[in-house]
């Protein structure tokens, strides 16, 4: 593996500088717009809630520990982020079918409807932002962004395993997410 010094003398230094700059600009723009969608739904669901609801929709009911592990975040963070979703009726707490003492989280019908609404709005935003892109360009961008997020997630997981700390609940969750189903 190259050392930091090897990377700074690499001929790709200019490209890596441009890449890190574009990632920083992307992060700022994403936060400014929150990539929340268009219309009335715009910015109406925070990133943590969206990622949690999306995970429950894709993988079905699960316990806090499984949800946390799947998202690459701490159980206490999931518990804290799920509480307002339960309070607003977007997520239900139910008993585990095999162990009645255990709690399982599941998307409520209201949560499913809300997630569908937000997904539709965000899908429209992505269509607008990438208007003029070919389908191949959209596919390539999605593939590379997924690969980039997976690499960041793996790096974060390795750092935590080596005794580091979680970089941030929402940031870590973002890195471990697969693209939402259409």
């Amino acid at each position: 593996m190259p050392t930091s010094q090897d990377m700074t003398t690499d001929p790709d230094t200019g490209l890596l500088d441009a890449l890190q700059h574009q990632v920083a600009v992307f992060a700022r723009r994403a936060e400014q717009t929150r990539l929340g969608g268009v219309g009335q739904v715009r910015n109406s669901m925070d990133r943590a809630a969206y990622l949690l609801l999306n995970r429950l929709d894709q993988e079905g009911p699960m316990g806090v520990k499984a949800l946390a592990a799947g998202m690459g975040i701490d159980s206490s963070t999931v518990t804290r982020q799920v509480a307002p979703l339960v309070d607003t009726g977007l997520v239900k707490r139910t008993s585990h079918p095999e162990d009645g003492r255990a709690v399982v989280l599941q998307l409520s019908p209201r949560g499913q409807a809300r997630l569908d609404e937000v997904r539709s709005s965000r899908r429209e935003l992505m269509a607008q932002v990438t208007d003029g892109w070919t389908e191949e360009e959209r596919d390539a961008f999605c593939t590379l962004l997924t690969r980039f997020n997976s690499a960041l997630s793996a790096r974060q997981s390795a750092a935590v395993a080596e005794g580091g700390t979680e970089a941030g609940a929402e940031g870590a969750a973002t890195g471990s997410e697969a693209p939402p189903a259409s």
Side-chain angles (χ1 to χ4, degrees), residues 63-135:
V64 169
K65 286 183 181 181
L67 187 56
M71 296 183 71
I73 58 178
D74 188 75
S75 293
S76 64
T77 301
V78 168
T79 300
R80 194 172 51 253
Q81 291 176 348
V82 164
L85 300 176
V86 170
D87 292 344
T88 58
L90 300 177
V91 171
K92 297 188 303 187
R93 284 190 178 109
T94 59
S95 296
H96 191 284
E98 296 167 11
D99 180 0
R101 298 169 296 167
V103 173
V104 174
L105 301 169
Q106 90 181 67
L107 200 57
S108 71
R110 182 173 180 217
Q112 183 67 62
R114 185 78 181 97
L115 180 60
D116 291 345
E117 179 183 40
V118 170
R119 273 188 187 148
S120 177
S121 175
R122 289 179 176 199
R123 189 179 306 114
E124 177 60 28
L125 175 63
M126 292 300 104
Q128 289 177 13
V129 170
T130 61
D131 185 41
W133 292 26
T134 66
E135 198 61 33

Side-chain angles (χ1 to χ4, degrees), residues 150-178:
S150 295
L152 285 175
S153 180
R155 188 175 195 289
Q156 178 65 24
S157 295
V160 169
E162 292 175 7
T165 60
E166 196 173 324
E170 289 184 53
T174 303
S176 64
E177 288 303 301

Side-chain angles (χ1 to χ4, degrees), residues 135-163:
E135 198 61 33
E136 292 78 22
E137 288 170 327
R138 284 179 175 166
D139 185 56
F141 182 70
C142 187
T143 298
L144 291 171
L145 191 55
T146 300
R147 184 175 169 190
F148 184 79
N149 281 330
S150 295
L152 285 175
S153 180
R155 188 175 195 289
Q156 178 65 24
S157 295
V160 169
E162 292 175 7

